[in-house]
Amino acid sequence: MTEPLFRADAYLREAEGRVVSASDDGIVLDRSIFYPTGGGQPGDGGVLEWDGGSTPITTASKAEGDAILLIPDTGATLPPVGATVLQSLDWQRRYAHMRVHTALHLLSVVIPLPVSGGSIGTEKGRLDFDMPDAPEDKQALQDSLNALIAADHEVTEDWISEAELDANPDLVKTMSVQPPRGSGRVRLIRIDGTAEQVDLQPCGGTHVRRTAEIGPVRLGKVEKKGRRNRRVTVHLEG
C-alpha cells in the first residue's frame, strides 16, 4: 500500500519516500505525491532523486493493494529498493489538471444533468451529458460558469460512510465512474458559496482550494455523441 500524500495536500510539490519495489514496469514508494490515473484525471509526472542518481517519472497508475506505480522514462536508472528518494512533481502539469478538474465540477452545476463520461487535460477538459437536445444559449452557460469561478468559492473535502452514500445516491453525478469503495468511507468534494452550497459530489481527484484559481474559461462546441449524449468542452483561457 502507498500512502497518497496528494489526498491530504494537493499542493505538496516535494516529499521524501522509501522505495518498496523498482523495475522497468514501475517504481512503488511507501508514500506518494504523484496522483495515479483515474476518474478521468491523468497521472502525474516529475522526477525521483536519490544519493547518486535520478529518474524521470512520465506518469503514475494504480496497482494491486492500493499501491501507486510510478512509471519511469524508458531506459532510466532505477533507484535501489529501500533507498530514500526525493519526489518532485511536474507542478505546472498537475496544477493545470487541478484547475480543469475543479472547472468540470462547476460545469456540472450550470448543466444539472447526469454525466456519462469525462476527461481532464492541461488546457481543457470535457464532460459528456445525458442531454438529448443541445443547449439553447451556450453563451449564457459560459457566463454562469465564469461567474461561479470569479466568485472565489472555497473548495474543501468531507468524508461519509459508504452506507451514507448508498442512502444518498443523488450525490453521484457521473454514471460512468463510481466512487472508489472498499475502505468503508467515501471522499466528497464540496464547493461552498457565502450563502449556500454550490456543489457536493464524491471525487478522489485533486482540486484547487478556491474557484478563482481556475481563471476565465471558454466553452467549446457542443458535440453530439449518440442519441442522448452531448459532449461539452471547457478550455482554460489563461
Side-chain angles (χ1 to χ4, degrees):
M1 177 178 178
T2 304
E3 180 186 355
L5 298 177
F6 56 83
R7 191 158 293 153
D9 183 2
Y11 289 78
L12 188 61
R13 305 186 194 191
E14 291 187 343
E16 289 188 341
R18 182 178 57 82
V19 180
V20 176
S21 65
S23 71
D24 291 337
D25 293 330
I27 301 162
V28 175
L29 305 181
D30 64 338
R31 56 209 304 260
S32 174
I33 60 174
F34 294 87
Y35 177 83
T37 301
Q41 180 172 329
D44 289 324
V47 65
L48 300 182
E49 297 176 285
W50 63 95
D51 187 17
S54 67
T55 187
I57 299 301
T58 59
T59 189
S61 62
K62 297 176 182 177
E64 293 183 9
D66 292 328
I68 294 174
L69 193 65
L70 310 182
I71 310 301
D73 204 0
T74 303
T77 302
L78 299 176
V81 173
T84 296
V85 298
L86 177 65
Q87 314 169 57
S88 300
L89 275 184
D90 179 342
W91 175 247
Q92 184 175 1
R93 171 173 153 186
R94 154 68 82 77
Y95 190 55
H97 291 162
M98 290 162 60
R99 294 170 62 205
V100 170
H101 198 155
T102 312
L104 293 181
H105 278 239
L106 293 177
L107 180 64
S108 73
V109 174
V110 300
I111 304 179
L113 296 172
V115 175
S116 55
S119 179
I120 296 162
T122 56
E123 299 178 353
K124 64 182 180 179
R126 53 92 174 165
L127 290 180
D128 296 343
F129 291 95
D130 184 3
M131 183 192 299
D133 300 312
E136 295 182 2
D137 191 342
K138 190 178 76 173
Q139 184 62 48
L141 293 176
Q142 179 175 298
D143 291 345
S144 296
L145 180 56
N146 276 309
L148 285 174
I149 291 169
D152 198 24
H153 297 307
E154 186 179 18
V155 183
T156 59
E157 70 172 24
D158 286 326
W159 293 84
I160 61 173
S161 68
E162 293 178 0
E164 288 175 305
L165 180 63
D166 291 337
N168 295 274
D170 290 343
L171 287 173
V172 182
K173 295 185 177 183
T174 306
M175 298 181 292
S176 60
V177 179
Q178 290 298 307
R181 290 173 174 265
S183 67
R185 63 178 192 157
V186 176
R187 180 177 183 245
L188 300 178
I189 294 299
R190 182 189 303 274
I191 302 178
D192 271 332
T194 54
E196 60 182 10
Q197 181 173 279
V198 176
D199 187 49
L200 180 68
Q201 57 179 297
C203 186
T206 59
H207 308 81
V208 294
R209 293 189 180 115
R210 303 195 68 89
T211 60
E213 294 181 51
I214 299 168
V217 299
R218 171 179 57 86
L219 291 187
K221 63 180 180 179
V222 178
E223 303 174 85
K224 188 171 183 180
K225 296 291 181 179
R227 184 172 61 88
R228 295 181 58 88
N229 289 310
R230 294 181 191 271
R231 177 167 296 172
V232 183
T233 302
V234 174
H235 299 258
L236 299 179
E237 288 287 83

